[in-house]
Short mmCIF file of all heavy atoms in Angstrom, two decimals:
data_model
loop_
_atom_site.label_atom_id
_atom_site.label_comp_id
_atom_site.label_asym_id
_atom_site.label_seq_id
_atom_site.Cartn_x
_atom_site.Cartn_y
_atom_site.Cartn_z
N PHE A 216 6.66 -29.55 18.90
CA PHE A 216 7.04 -30.07 17.59
C PHE A 216 5.95 -30.99 17.03
O PHE A 216 5.74 -31.03 15.81
CB PHE A 216 8.38 -30.80 17.68
CG PHE A 216 9.56 -29.89 17.84
CD1 PHE A 216 9.99 -29.49 19.10
CD2 PHE A 216 10.24 -29.40 16.73
CE1 PHE A 216 11.08 -28.63 19.25
CE2 PHE A 216 11.31 -28.54 16.86
CZ PHE A 216 11.74 -28.15 18.13
N ASN A 223 1.16 -28.39 10.07
CA ASN A 223 1.66 -28.57 8.70
C ASN A 223 0.72 -29.39 7.85
O ASN A 223 0.51 -29.10 6.67
CB ASN A 223 3.04 -29.24 8.74
CG ASN A 223 4.17 -28.25 8.80
OD1 ASN A 223 4.13 -27.22 8.15
ND2 ASN A 223 5.17 -28.54 9.60
N SER A 262 21.35 -8.62 -10.16
CA SER A 262 21.45 -7.37 -9.41
C SER A 262 20.14 -7.06 -8.69
O SER A 262 20.14 -6.58 -7.55
CB SER A 262 21.82 -6.21 -10.34
OG SER A 262 20.84 -6.05 -11.36
N ILE A 349 18.64 -2.88 26.96
CA ILE A 349 18.79 -4.28 27.39
C ILE A 349 19.47 -4.36 28.75
O ILE A 349 19.15 -5.23 29.57
CB ILE A 349 19.59 -5.08 26.34
CG1 ILE A 349 18.80 -5.16 25.03
CG2 ILE A 349 19.89 -6.48 26.85
CD1 ILE A 349 19.49 -5.96 23.94
N GLY A 355 13.80 -1.21 31.12
CA GLY A 355 14.51 -1.01 29.87
C GLY A 355 14.30 -2.16 28.90
O GLY A 355 14.11 -1.94 27.69
N SER A 380 9.21 -6.09 -7.73
CA SER A 380 8.47 -5.63 -8.90
C SER A 380 9.41 -5.29 -10.04
O SER A 380 8.99 -5.18 -11.19
CB SER A 380 7.62 -4.39 -8.54
OG SER A 380 8.45 -3.38 -8.01
N LYS A 384 8.86 -10.23 -15.85
CA LYS A 384 7.69 -11.06 -15.60
C LYS A 384 8.02 -12.55 -15.56
O LYS A 384 7.63 -13.26 -14.64
CB LYS A 384 6.64 -10.79 -16.69
CG LYS A 384 5.27 -11.38 -16.41
CD LYS A 384 4.29 -10.94 -17.48
CE LYS A 384 2.89 -11.49 -17.20
NZ LYS A 384 1.92 -11.07 -18.23
N GLY A 390 12.53 -15.70 -9.07
CA GLY A 390 13.28 -14.57 -8.53
C GLY A 390 12.79 -14.14 -7.17
O GLY A 390 13.58 -13.82 -6.28
N ALA A 436 20.79 0.01 -0.45
CA ALA A 436 20.13 -0.77 -1.49
C ALA A 436 18.92 -0.04 -2.05
O ALA A 436 18.68 -0.04 -3.27
CB ALA A 436 19.71 -2.13 -0.93
N ILE A 445 15.30 5.04 -12.22
CA ILE A 445 15.39 6.26 -13.01
C ILE A 445 16.10 6.00 -14.33
O ILE A 445 15.68 6.43 -15.40
CB ILE A 445 16.14 7.37 -12.22
CG1 ILE A 445 15.31 7.78 -10.99
CG2 ILE A 445 16.43 8.56 -13.10
CD1 ILE A 445 16.05 8.71 -10.06
N GLY A 449 14.50 6.29 -18.06
CA GLY A 449 15.09 7.15 -19.06
C GLY A 449 15.30 6.46 -20.37
O GLY A 449 15.32 7.06 -21.44
#
Side-chain angles (χ1 to χ4, degrees):
F216 287 89
N223 269 321
S262 60
I349 295 182
S380 56
K384 191 175 182 180
I445 294 172

